């Protein structure tokens, strides 16, 4: 397993390195599983260095090597991504509804009780750990949307390496539009850090967006490097070339359109990262005092609830709605009033158009499309005649007109 190094300090000239040291800050020790000869343990050797150009280049190379080794240790030889034949598959749960959210957390934090409260689906809950041994799906309705909720088994430290069926749990979490990390309010906040590290090790980047970096591989011409904005977090042309060399990329065009770190650049190269929003749900707040709740209130992206007493569930459902970026589009048959009971649910981060709205209803509808009448915030006047490229907004009313004949 891997303990990520934090820093680098050049060795002293007269320092003698042990025979099991391949680098001043990296020592190799056999993994407990002796059958995997490539498994290694990396640990920091010396404290943090002073930052300068020489250490930046060297740290960039080390980060690339560690990323490749971590990928091989977690996903198997060749660094296969989660979900391939070389990695453990997630639970076989059919995706349904308009969006999917997963409940991730340690055992006995109230995930099963929360699923039962939100969806009405019976999930066994008891006073002992690991009550839930498989994925239990449920569906809740909110603002006309059908939201699939997955109650995943509890994970433990080392889940990304396969302990306690952790890889199956996190593989299923990768398929969700939103992850709810359920925490026990009465337990230490170190549990939050442990779960974040397990998700990070499995390639999930929580509450982040993909870096605005373009990598165009080519057959010849060497490495082309362009910066659209100044780089202040350690990236430059030399670091870029050293990282690409570790990934055996000798000819490519690199365009950086935002200020990024070396780790973000490595994520773009590997290309198998999942950028998923995360909401921290602190359960069992009935055991806390007002002063303790005030301390928790300083944390971002969190919602305090009590699933047993059904406290603050309305705020939780509103946060889920906002984080999933869902929007409602109402249909209007010709000569009738709009159907406000069963809206068509689209996701606003994709800036949905009338064409996407038609495909959501039926994939063949766009072939017979003539034009659409739109009422709502996206229309300049009420109604507005629009084509299939018109971009819709939340709670618009759309009437589709088919071609004559």
């Amino acid at each position: 397993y891997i303990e990520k190094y934090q820093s680098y300090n050049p060795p002293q000239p007269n320092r003698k390195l042990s025979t099991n040291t391949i680098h001043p800050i990296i020592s190799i020790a056999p993994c407990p599983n002796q059958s995997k000869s490539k498994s290694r343990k990396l640990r920091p050797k010396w404290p943090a260095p002073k930052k300068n150009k020489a250490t930046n280049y060297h740290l960039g190379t080390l980060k690339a090597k560690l990323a490749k080794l971590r990928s091989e240790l977690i996903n198997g030889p060749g660094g296969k991504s989660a979900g391939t034949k070389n990695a453990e598959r997630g639970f076989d749960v059919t995706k349904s509804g308009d969006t999917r959210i997963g409940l991730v957390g340690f055992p006995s934090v109230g995930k099963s009780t929360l699923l039962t409260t939100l969806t009405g689906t019976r999930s066994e809950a008891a006073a002992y750990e690991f009550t839930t041994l498989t994925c239990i799906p449920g569906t809740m309705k909110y603002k006309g949307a059908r939201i699939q909720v997955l109650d995943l088994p509890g994970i433990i430290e080392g889940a990304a390496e396969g302990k306690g069926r952790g890889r199956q749990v996190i593989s299923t979490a990768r398929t969700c539009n939103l992850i709810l990390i359920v925490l026990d309010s009465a337990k230490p906040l170190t549990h939050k850090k442990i779960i974040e590290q397990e998700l990070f090790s499995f390639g999930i980047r929580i509450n982040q967006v993909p870096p605005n970096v373009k990598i165009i591989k080519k057959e010849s011409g060497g490495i082309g490097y362009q910066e659209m904005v100044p780089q202040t977090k350690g990236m430059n042309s030399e670091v870029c070339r050293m990282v690409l060399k570790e990934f055996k990329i000798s000819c490519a065009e690199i365009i950086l359109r935002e200020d990024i770190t070396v780790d973000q650049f490595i994520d773009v190269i590997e290309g198998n990262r999942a950028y998923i929003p995360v909401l921290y749900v602190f359960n069992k707040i009935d055991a806390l005092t007002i002063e303790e709740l005030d301390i928790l209130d300083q944390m971002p992206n969190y919602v305090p609830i009590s699933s047993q007493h059904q406290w603050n569930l309305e705020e939780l459902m509103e946060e889920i709605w906002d984080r999933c970026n869902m929007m409602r589009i109402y249909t209007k048959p010709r000569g009738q009033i709009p159907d406000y009971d069963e809206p068509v649910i689209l996701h606003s981060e994709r800036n949905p158009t009338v064409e996407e709205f038609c495909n959501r209803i039926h994939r063949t509808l766009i072939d017979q499309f003539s034009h659409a009448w739109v009422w709502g915030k996206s229309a300049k006047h009420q109604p507005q005649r629009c084509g299939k490229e018109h971009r819709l907004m939340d709670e618009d009313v759309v009437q589709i007109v088919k071609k004559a004949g």
Side-chain angles (χ1 to χ4, degrees), residues 102-400:
L103 305 180
V104 177
F106 281 94
S108 297
V109 294
K111 299 187 298 296
S112 299
T113 305
L114 181 59
L115 175 74
T116 303
T117 304
L118 293 178
T119 67
T121 302
R122 171 66 178 170
S123 181
E124 184 179 357
Y128 53 86
E129 295 185 347
F130 296 104
T131 309
T132 304
L133 300 177
T134 186
C135 179
I136 300 178
T139 303
M140 71 174 185
K141 293 199 67 176
Y142 186 68
K143 294 184 177 181
R146 293 177 295 110
I147 302 174
Q148 186 182 40
V149 184
L150 302 183
D151 178 18
L152 298 170
I155 64 175
I156 58 177
E157 190 170 1
E161 301 167 12
K163 294 182 180 178
R165 302 181 71 182
R167 298 194 64 192
Q168 287 181 277
V169 173
I170 303 178
S171 293
T172 306
R174 282 178 64 106
T175 66
C176 297
N177 301 101
L178 173 68
I179 295 177
L180 299 185
I181 296 181
V182 185
L183 301 166
D184 190 339
S185 301
K187 293 185 178 179
L189 281 178
T190 52
H191 290 185
K192 171 177 173 289
K193 291 292 184 182
I194 294 174
I195 295 176
E196 288 175 346
Q197 183 59 41
E198 297 301 328
L199 297 180
F200 183 88
S201 299
F202 209 73
I204 297 178
R205 301 295 178 259
I206 63 176
N207 294 328
Q208 297 182 26
V209 296
N212 193 0
V213 176
K214 186 72 172 178
I215 299 180
I216 306 173
K217 295 183 180 180
K218 52 188 181 181
E219 297 181 357
S220 61
I223 302 296
Y225 179 82
Q226 301 181 43
E227 295 180 358
M228 300 292 109
V229 295
Q231 299 297 313
T232 62
K233 299 179 181 178
M235 276 299 297
N236 54 54
S237 60
E238 290 299 323
V239 173
C240 174
R241 286 182 173 84
M242 296 181 74
V243 171
L244 292 176
K245 182 179 179 181
E246 290 298 326
F247 286 91
K248 299 180 180 180
I249 299 176
S250 57
C251 298
E253 193 70 29
I254 311 299
I255 305 174
L256 306 183
R257 295 191 175 96
E258 67 172 294
D259 190 10
I260 63 170
T261 63
V262 179
D263 290 326
Q264 289 177 305
F265 183 62
I266 293 173
D267 290 343
V268 175
I269 295 175
E270 293 200 329
N272 59 355
R273 305 299 191 240
Y275 297 87
I276 304 175
V278 166
L279 188 63
Y280 302 98
V281 180
F282 282 84
N283 196 13
K284 305 179 183 180
I285 60 171
D286 50 296
L288 299 182
T289 63
I290 298 298
E291 291 77 11
E292 292 171 328
L293 282 176
D294 290 338
I295 296 175
L296 286 179
D297 195 48
Q298 302 174 11
M299 182 180 302
N301 305 315
Y302 102 107
V303 176
I305 67 165
S306 175
S307 54
Q308 182 178 3
H309 299 285
Q310 300 186 10
W311 292 354
N312 208 31
L313 294 182
E314 186 65 29
E315 181 183 350
L316 173 62
M317 298 177 73
E318 187 64 30
E319 285 288 341
I320 291 174
W321 176 270
D322 294 336
R323 302 290 173 135
C324 292
N325 297 315
M326 289 182 287
M327 53 186 291
R328 296 156 290 180
I329 307 297
Y330 302 107
T331 58
K332 181 185 182 303
R334 185 176 181 180
Q336 302 180 26
I337 62 173
D339 182 7
Y340 292 107
D341 296 327
E342 295 292 336
V344 177
I345 304 298
L346 302 176
H347 291 272
S348 59
E349 72 270 9
R350 294 195 294 262
N351 294 320
T353 61
V354 173
E355 182 177 5
E356 185 175 343
F357 169 77
C358 294
N359 292 331
R360 180 69 173 167
I361 296 175
H362 198 277
R363 67 183 65 181
T364 62
L365 182 59
I366 195 64
D367 298 330
Q368 308 171 17
F369 178 83
S370 172
H371 61 275
W373 294 103
V374 179
W375 293 259
K377 292 182 287 187
S378 68
K380 296 180 180 178
H381 46 81
Q382 312 296 328
Q384 178 183 351
R385 176 170 172 160
C386 305
K388 61 183 181 180
E389 294 85 9
H390 178 77
R391 298 193 180 278
L392 300 172
M393 299 180 69
D394 188 28
E395 295 191 280
D396 278 354
V397 178
V398 179
Q399 177 183 325
I400 302 297

Side-chain angles (χ1 to χ4, degrees), residues 51-61 234 236 239 242 262:
K51 290 190 176 181
N52 53 60
K53 290 185 177 180
T55 57
N56 280 342
Y57 302 154
H58 196 51
L59 286 176
T61 306
N236 54 54
V239 173
M242 296 181 74
V262 179

